[in-house]
Amino acid sequence: MSDTGVTTYSKTQVVLHWSIALLILVQFLAHDGMEHVWRAFRRGQDAAANDVPMAYMHVVLGLAVLVLACWRLWLRVRIGVPPVSGMEHPALQLLAKATHLVIYALIFIVPLSGVAAWFLNVPGAGLVHVLGKDILLYVVLLHTAGALFQHFVLKSDVLRRMLFLQQA
Ligand code: HEM
Ligand code: HEM
């Protein structure tokens, strides 16, 4: 994923970044309904009526992540993104790039494996989904720590440009 000549993110890229982040947060906070319905399905039992709407919400919001991720990747290819940062150690830049790459992969792998489990009943897809969301959680925590470190310690502009506070 190479950087192009742009110096900041477009408004659409910023809105997409935070929309995807918010949707993923909701998926992590409200997955009980899906877990119960899925467990009942695997055991050949009927799901509790109050869990079903939450399971559908999980599917709809998860599909929304997939659609927004496609849009985001398309924008990245079409207009590019600014360099990860201009000021710190090359090893940290590499870590930031690797983190972004893994996050990009997971915002496709996690919903797609969910689709494969839920709609197509593909064996092993549920496991990929569960492992994928765990990795996503840890990588996003690293990513968040990195963003806060850059902002508060290195005093770089990376968080500001992801918050509409610095536009070209
Ligand atoms: C589920 C939550 C999140 C996801 C999936 C996510 C994903 C990403 C991705 C893929 C990029 C790379 C942008 C690109 O090259 O197109 C990025 C950039 C960025 N993210 Fe996140 N992010 C999340 C949460 C956060 C949080 C909580 C913060 C801040 C506290 C944050 C701050 C940033 C910043 C500052 C950048 C720009 C980095 C740079 O330009 O070098 N992100 N994010
Ligand atoms: C980025 C989007 C998504 C995130 C972050 C996410 C997150 C989660 C989480 C946290 C769980 C609970 C796993 C556990 O601890 O047992 C889960 C389970 C599940 N999700 Fe998703 N999900 C997403 C998208 C989807 C989509 C689009 C579908 C289906 C169309 C889906 C279907 C499922 C299924 C079937 C389970 C139960 C899997 C199992 O327990 O083996 N998910 N998901």
Side-chain angles (χ1 to χ4, degrees), residues 40-67:
F41 168 72
R42 306 282 289 176
R43 292 176 180 168
Q45 299 166 344
D46 285 335
N50 55 336
D51 284 328
V52 175
M54 293 304 281
Y56 280 119
M57 186 182 91
H58 187 90
V59 171
V60 170
L61 297 189
L63 291 176
V65 171
L66 187 60
V67 171

Side-chain angles (χ1 to χ4, degrees), residues 9 13 17-18 20-21 24-25 72 76 81-85 96 100 103-104 107 136 140 143-144 147-148 150 158-162:
Y9 294 97
Q13 283 172 312
H17 175 269
W18 294 112
I20 292 174
I24 289 177
L25 180 69
R72 182 148 177 210
R76 195 183 208 283
V81 291
V84 284
S85 169
H100 291 172
I103 295 179
Y104 263 111
I107 57 179
L136 180 63
V140 164
H143 170 69
T144 305
L148 297 177
Q150 295 215 31
V158 287
L159 187 56
R160 279 194 298 275
R161 72 187 179 191
M162 206 34 120

Side-chain angles (χ1 to χ4, degrees), residues 20 23-32 34-39 42 55 58-66 106-119 125-134 136:
I20 292 174
L23 286 170
I24 289 177
L25 180 69
V26 174
Q27 293 293 76
F28 273 98
L29 293 178
H31 60 78
D32 284 359
M34 170 53 91
E35 260 183 88
H36 296 162
V37 169
W38 186 248
R39 197 181 313 136
R42 306 282 289 176
H58 187 90
V59 171
V60 170
L61 297 189
L63 291 176
V65 171
L66 187 60
L106 288 170
I107 57 179
F108 286 92
I109 292 170
V110 172
L112 283 174
S113 56
V115 168
W118 181 259
F119 291 110
L127 183 63
V128 172
H129 190 67
V130 172
L131 290 177
K133 62 88 183 157
D134 281 342
L136 180 63

